Amino acid sequence: MARPQLAPGTMGKVSLRERAGRWQARANARTHGGALIPLTATGETERKARDAIERAFAAAVVMGAGALSPTSTVGDAIDAWLATQQARAAGGSLRRQSYETYAAKARGARDAVGAVPLHLARPRLIEPIIENLVVGRGVPYARGVQFVLRRSFALAVQREAIEHNPLSESMSLSAPEQTLAHLTPAQWQSMMASIETWGRRPAVRADWRRLVALCSVIVGSSLRIGEVGALRPCDLSLGGSPPAMVVTRTVVEVGGRLIIQDVPKRRGQERHIPLPGPTADALRAVAARAAGPAALLFGTSTGEPDGNPDRLLRTWRSSPEGQAWMQSVGIATRDVTFKLLRRSAASHVRGSAGLEAAQALLGHADAATTERHYAGLPVVDAATARLLEGIWG
């Protein structure tokens, strides 16, 4: 009687035998297209040889290079997830910059737990490793690893390699509490005075005026540092009343190279921003030294995007003047960033003009993002205080 033909997408009987101290597994499989293919795999034990041929079958027949099984490693799942993101980037549904960011985070995740078999990936194993990353590498790094692992495990569940996502209900990783949410006008003025005092010291060679200009632009417009780096004289209307700028671009890194992206962080975040006088004055002085209307205001000496715009800020922070200023206002070194200035501008605008004005200034698509990250505490209506006064006397 003829042996029944293998159905498409199946593997036949596995034959196992030991040779020279290693086990060899052989079987035939039929692809979904109907082709019959031979499979061979080896392992130190009979079980390992059988597991190896199962992986070979999955890779060759079930789902190609993205095949996952319980014996696949976490690294395999990360690679499979990253391949889906690469496909999205190629199709235009994911920005290339985002894919590069995912790839960088994936390297960290692979280094942390890439060799662990999927069937052994349990919360009791994964979570302590992430907690150790928080201590050793910091919250942002650990959060990036957690992000990649959670999505890679979700893909493994979808592809029936595991039943549950070990990080689906994992602990939330919160960033360290900031010592200062935003600067007051007096703190801002003292910061600028400290930078000038530092910059005018004979031993200091840093371009402190460039740092003052960068800070002035951000605190007067709440731009992201990448958006500042993409500004050109032709983006400014400094002779108007009030002076203004248009924000239509940003600096991004793609494939290890800095490029100008023709939209801000996301499409739809282009905006027209009226400028306060000091910010307009700072931009006017920088624009006067620009090579032309399309030259970068804060580019390198060769006209390229600046890949390290915060180097001057870091240098000032580590100086005696910078340390003294931070001690006087009670702020940790790690919190003195360009984002602090962006948040300061938005917080004061929100307090005076409301959440929608702060959202428009920041270029956020969602007001909840503005409320959560940049605009300080929710403002309770003054009528609430009068109500409580009426209750409690």
Side-chain angles (χ1 to χ4, degrees):
M1 183 176 179
R3 181 181 300 176
Q5 188 180 51
L6 285 174
T10 63
M11 180 172 66
K13 182 180 178 180
V14 177
S15 64
L16 293 151
R17 66 177 177 176
E18 188 179 11
R19 272 190 175 182
R22 289 183 65 82
W23 283 82
Q24 185 181 73
R26 290 177 177 272
N28 289 326
R30 192 172 295 279
T31 68
H32 290 291
L36 190 67
I37 58 173
L39 299 173
T40 304
T42 61
E44 297 174 356
T45 65
E46 181 179 351
R47 173 61 183 272
K48 288 184 178 180
R50 185 178 291 277
D51 288 344
I53 202 167
E54 290 283 354
R55 288 196 298 272
F57 166 68
V61 176
V62 181
M63 292 163 62
L68 296 173
S69 69
T71 56
S72 299
T73 64
V74 175
D76 294 333
I78 293 170
D79 291 341
W81 174 77
L82 201 58
T84 66
Q85 304 311 300
Q86 188 174 28
R88 289 182 59 204
S93 63
L94 181 73
R95 288 183 306 145
R96 188 70 192 176
Q97 180 198 8
S98 298
Y99 170 74
E100 296 288 344
T101 300
Y102 291 165
K105 292 177 179 179
R107 287 191 289 271
R110 200 179 291 108
D111 289 344
V113 293
V116 176
L118 280 174
H119 70 277
L120 295 181
R122 299 285 185 268
R124 65 177 179 270
L125 170 67
I126 304 297
E127 290 185 2
I129 292 174
I130 293 177
E131 289 169 353
N132 288 336
L133 289 176
V134 171
V135 175
R137 302 294 297 270
V139 170
Y141 184 89
R143 189 180 283 159
V145 169
Q146 186 187 48
F147 171 87
V148 170
L149 290 178
R150 183 174 285 137
R151 281 152 182 79
S152 300
F153 288 139
L155 182 64
V157 171
Q158 179 185 338
R159 297 187 177 178
E160 300 180 354
I162 53 177
E163 292 185 3
H164 305 289
N165 189 330
L167 282 179
S168 61
E169 298 179 3
S170 180
M171 75 288 190
S172 174
L173 298 179
S174 300
E177 187 174 346
Q178 293 165 333
T179 54
L180 193 66
H182 60 265
L183 297 179
T184 66
Q187 290 168 337
W188 158 252
Q189 294 296 335
S190 65
M191 177 182 175
M192 291 299 97
S194 172
I195 291 175
E196 182 172 355
T197 301
W198 160 72
R200 290 189 181 280
R201 273 200 287 122
V204 174
R205 291 184 160 186
D207 186 358
W208 64 272
R209 289 182 178 84
R210 181 184 176 96
L211 177 58
V212 168
L214 279 168
C215 293
S216 298
V217 171
I218 296 174
V219 84
S221 64
S222 205
L223 262 61
R224 302 175 180 91
I225 186 60
E227 293 170 338
V228 176
L231 285 175
R232 305 160 294 179
C234 61
D235 298 320
L236 310 177
S237 300
L238 300 179
S241 181
M245 68 166 66
V246 291
V247 182
T248 60
R249 316 187 312 160
T250 191
V251 177
V252 298
E253 183 177 348
V254 175
R257 226 178 119 249
L258 291 175
I259 64 169
I260 300 294
Q261 178 175 282
D262 287 334
V263 294
K265 187 176 180 181
R266 291 184 178 85
R267 199 169 299 279
Q269 293 183 342
E270 299 86 351
R271 54 207 187 275
H272 177 276
I273 302 177
L275 298 172
T279 300
D281 291 342
L283 284 169
R284 202 172 280 114
V286 176
R289 300 192 296 270
L296 295 178
L297 292 175
F298 295 99
T300 65
S301 58
T302 59
E304 298 297 316
D306 189 350
N308 191 17
D310 60 347
R311 64 190 180 281
L312 289 171
L313 186 62
R314 291 198 306 270
T315 305
W316 167 73
R317 285 188 325 198
S318 63
S319 71
E321 292 83 358
Q323 292 291 315
W325 178 81
M326 287 183 286
Q327 186 174 4
S328 71
V329 300
I331 185 172
T333 302
R334 69 171 186 270
D335 292 338
V336 183
T337 62
F338 288 131
K339 186 172 282 191
L340 171 66
L341 303 180
R342 173 169 156 84
R343 187 168 56 245
S344 297
S347 296
H348 290 299
V349 168
R350 189 228 189 270
S352 298
L355 182 62
E356 288 187 4
Q359 177 190 354
L361 181 67
L362 290 162
H364 285 161
D366 186 358
T369 304
T370 308
E371 183 78 23
R372 185 167 61 251
H373 294 295
Y374 287 94
L377 297 174
V379 177
V380 179
D381 195 287
T384 304
R386 294 193 292 270
L387 174 64
L388 291 172
E389 183 177 349
I391 294 173
W392 303 114

